[in-house]
Amino acid sequence: MLFPITRMRRLRRNETLRRMVRETRVSIDDLIYPLFVCPGTKVKEEIPSMPGQYRYSVDMLVEECKTVEQLGIPAVLLFGIPENKDQLGTEGCAENGIIQQTLQAIKKECRSLILITDVCMCEYTVHGHCGVVVDGEVDNDRTLEYLGRMALSHVIAGADMVAPSDMMDGRVGYIRDVLDADGYNNIPIMAYSAKFASGFFDPFRDAVYCAPQFGDRKSYQMDTPNIEEALREIALDIEEGADIVIVKPALPNLDVISRAKQEFSIPVAAYNVSGEYAMVKAAAANGWLDETSIIMESVTSIKRAGADMILTYFAKDIARKL
Ligand code: PBG
Ligand code: ZN
């Protein structure tokens, strides 16, 4: 049936009609809020390249988590900035490391909030790489042992879920084995499966001081042009036991999110990363675009592409807007 019988505009005439035919709905249940924890007390330090996001000391982070829980956001993703970085990222696995202390503190105050931890070496090493460096290269298999220990130490301290972001081969299966061997077979793994070597991570690297001190991350993170390879990464992580897979960054990879959702029966999360956040903030600060409409449009399109969950620094803004 063609025009003039068919008129697509009939169902767009007012907001109520538009509401009735809306195909995609973002829910507060979809949101995961990333947070940064640093040493000290009473610290709430704004991250210069991420206005509105902060490095919190443990005490302040607990307060922030209470707010997040009260808003109804189901989960947070925690990143640690250690007191001391070293060659092997020792503090990352320490019983009283920054993340381990944080987990214990939040657990006491926020009963229903799901605590997810980033599992990676780069936040804890002086060289800023995501693995053990041997002769100037990141050694895959030696890194696995470290990641297993780190994940286990997070879970012992109270993590509800672990999210390995290193992109080493075999790490999901390795971590699964380590957790299961200690009786933690009920702890899910959210794997950063399709993580592209991206310029959009730079503000994050400022936030946690983890920029690689030599070279780049292209020998482990994915090459932007490759979608078939991304699907293979996802398939492998699922076989190794991933419970949720992440595609990252989100907006430059909506096609990957879409294919992942179509081809696999597993929850897909999309990470709307620091650089995506920074661009919106910078343009909004200049009055070049309307922040709220950009946030809602972005998150809706990520959901429409197929994401079941969205990791976003805008989570609180979205929760308040819904
Ligand atoms: C650590 C890690 C990074 C991000 C999440 N975990 C940085 C990186 O791999 O360089 C990026 C998050 C963001 O940019 O918001 N491996
Ligand atoms: Zn890393």
Side-chain angles (χ1 to χ4, degrees):
M1 211 74 79
L2 292 176
F3 177 82
I5 308 289
T6 299
R7 287 181 182 271
M8 297 305 284
R9 289 181 56 189
R10 282 185 200 120
L11 294 177
R12 293 180 202 145
R13 270 184 71 211
N14 61 48
E15 176 53 21
T16 311
L17 281 167
R18 289 193 293 272
R19 187 152 65 94
M20 290 168 70
V21 298
R22 205 152 275 158
E23 298 173 35
T24 305
R25 269 173 236 278
V26 175
S27 152
I28 197 158
D29 300 333
D30 305 331
L31 304 174
I32 300 172
Y33 188 44
L35 283 165
F36 303 99
V37 58
C38 67
T41 48
K42 297 264 168 289
V43 181
K44 180 180 175 183
E45 183 179 43
E46 191 164 44
I47 300 161
S49 53
M50 300 175 71
Q53 303 303 312
Y54 302 84
R55 301 182 193 102
Y56 297 94
S57 53
V58 176
D59 52 332
M60 300 295 278
L61 189 88
V62 170
E63 294 309 309
E64 179 66 7
C65 285
K66 286 185 195 164
T67 308
V68 172
E69 190 179 38
Q70 273 156 18
L71 278 169
I73 295 169
V76 292
L77 173 64
L78 301 171
F79 294 98
I81 302 158
E83 185 87 58
N84 296 302
K85 302 194 186 218
D86 61 21
Q87 200 62 28
L88 284 172
T90 311
E91 191 176 328
C93 307
E95 206 177 311
N96 62 348
I98 185 85
I99 280 288
Q100 291 79 357
Q101 285 178 39
T102 306
L103 288 162
Q104 286 160 9
I106 310 173
K107 267 287 160 224
K108 283 190 206 125
E109 302 287 339
C110 306
R111 302 252 165 231
S112 70
L113 195 63
I114 294 291
L115 309 182
I116 311 171
T117 55
D118 187 78
V119 174
C120 197
M121 287 183 73
C122 60
E123 292 116 274
Y124 302 94
T125 54
V126 278
H127 50 68
H129 275 289
C130 302
V132 178
V133 173
V134 181
D135 297 334
E137 275 198 57
V138 174
D139 185 302
N140 192 88
D141 299 10
R142 282 189 218 185
T143 304
L144 298 184
E145 190 268 334
Y146 180 94
L147 296 171
R149 267 194 293 134
M150 183 187 242
L152 181 61
S153 77
H154 289 178
V155 170
I156 289 171
D160 298 298
M161 195 184 299
V162 290
S165 69
D166 51 282
M167 289 298 280
M168 296 303 121
D169 287 318
R171 90 275 205 219
V172 172
Y174 191 94
I175 291 171
R176 185 73 273 158
D177 284 349
V178 169
L179 296 183
D180 289 0
D182 250 67
Y184 294 108
N185 55 16
N186 56 350
I187 298 290
I189 298 176
M190 176 188 249
Y192 289 77
S193 302
K195 178 174 180 180
F196 289 89
S198 170
F200 285 101
F201 305 154
D202 282 0
F204 172 94
R205 293 177 191 168
D206 282 342
V208 305
Y209 316 104
C210 76
Q213 296 304 297
F214 65 90
D216 53 38
R217 301 213 203 292
K218 290 185 178 167
S219 76
Y220 40 103
Q221 298 179 351
M222 283 199 47
D223 203 19
T224 298
N226 299 357
I227 187 167
E228 298 305 328
E229 187 185 338
L231 296 169
R232 219 171 143 207
E233 283 280 9
I234 291 169
L236 288 168
D237 281 358
I238 294 172
E239 267 185 67
E240 289 179 32
D243 298 280
I244 300 168
V245 294
I246 302 179
V247 176
K248 169 187 176 185
L251 292 172
N253 298 299
L254 293 177
D255 56 337
V256 181
I257 297 170
S258 171
R259 288 275 300 274
K261 191 60 205 167
Q262 281 165 28
E263 295 184 25
F264 302 101
S265 302
I266 191 168
V268 174
Y271 200 148
N272 186 225
V273 301
S274 58
E276 300 175 84
Y277 177 85
M279 288 197 304
V280 176
K281 283 290 182 181
N286 277 290
W288 293 339
L289 42 73
D290 176 61
E291 183 170 334
T292 305
S293 65
I294 295 295
I295 294 171
M296 297 316 288
E297 185 176 332
S298 303
V299 80
T300 304
S301 66
I302 294 167
K303 183 91 195 269
R304 192 189 64 207
D308 300 292
M309 300 170 205
I310 301 156
L311 301 126
T312 173
Y313 302 98
F314 290 120
K316 287 199 300 179
D317 306 274
I318 297 166
R320 290 195 178 106
K321 176 79 186 146
L322 288 172

